[in-house]
Amino acid sequence: MRFISIIMGSKSDYEVMQECAKVLDKFGVPYELIISSAHRSPHRTKSYVSEAEEKGAKVFICAAGMAAHLAGVVASLTVKPVIGVPMKGGFMDGMDALLSTVQMPAGMPVATVAVGKAGAVNAAYLAMQILAIDDEELRAKLQEDRLSKAKKVEADSSEVEVIIDATQA
């Protein structure tokens, strides 16, 4: 079975990361969701990554705030894609987490998305795009979702737009 693994550094990340899970649910993509800290439970983190890979995890999504080392630690334990979701909080309200997640040493990549809820949603979409490389059904669902979003923009615009006809000016 292939699935996406979502790892949060603490329970305080759960409210935001539920948005990630909701997107995966919408597309019918299986996932696991756990709490494991790079600092407070490093042995649990290491064991979980190994076990998740054995069970079929194809992409890891890691959410953490402040020092935000979780995604980097997971990246050090696997060659599977790792997506980091920086979380708000702390002295710098998420900027520290963003910089910690995005500034990885060469050869140890972590794809980094936006801080907070938008990042959680985008992490789900990015993980699904990775899976869709060899999954035609998922790719079709993602393409339909994009088309739906484009149609919504047009519908929203039609409710408010004012267009000047250049031939009449």
Side-chain angles (χ1 to χ4, degrees):
M1 173 182 173
R2 73 181 188 143
F3 63 93
I4 294 170
S5 171
I6 303 169
I7 308 171
M8 301 172 292
S10 68
K11 190 174 180 182
S12 62
D13 303 329
Y14 182 65
E15 183 179 336
V16 170
M17 293 311 293
Q18 278 184 305
E19 299 303 317
C20 179
K22 286 178 189 175
V23 172
L24 297 174
D25 284 336
K26 173 183 166 186
F27 284 85
V29 174
Y31 61 88
E32 288 187 346
L33 187 146
I34 71 158
I35 297 170
S36 192
S37 170
H39 302 114
R40 293 181 302 264
S41 58
H43 300 294
R44 172 181 166 80
T45 301
K46 183 177 181 180
S47 294
Y48 173 73
V49 170
S50 177
E51 291 165 11
E53 280 190 311
E54 287 176 19
K55 291 191 301 185
K58 298 299 182 194
V59 181
F60 290 87
I61 297 173
C62 301
M66 297 170 64
H69 292 145
L70 183 59
V73 166
V74 171
S76 78
L77 299 171
T78 183
V79 295
K80 303 283 170 96
V82 176
I83 303 167
V85 182
M87 303 302 289
K88 284 186 171 229
F91 174 71
M92 298 177 73
D93 200 31
M95 182 59 79
D96 48 355
L98 174 63
L99 294 174
S100 294
T101 306
V102 79
Q103 293 293 337
M104 292 297 297
M108 198 61 56
V110 170
T112 307
V113 293
V115 175
K117 181 180 173 181
V121 169
N122 281 341
Y125 275 97
L126 180 55
M128 290 188 299
Q129 288 174 332
I130 292 167
L131 294 181
I133 289 170
D134 61 2
D135 183 333
E136 291 291 329
E137 183 180 339
L138 182 55
R139 187 174 329 157
K141 288 179 182 179
L142 288 167
Q143 288 170 333
E144 181 58 37
D145 183 68
R146 286 275 175 98
L147 182 59
S148 174
K149 284 177 172 46
K151 287 179 181 177
K152 182 171 181 351
V153 168
E154 290 177 26
D156 289 348
S157 181
S158 70
E159 293 177 13
V160 300
E161 65 189 33
V162 176
I163 306 287
I164 297 173
D165 184 351
T167 62
Q168 303 294 323

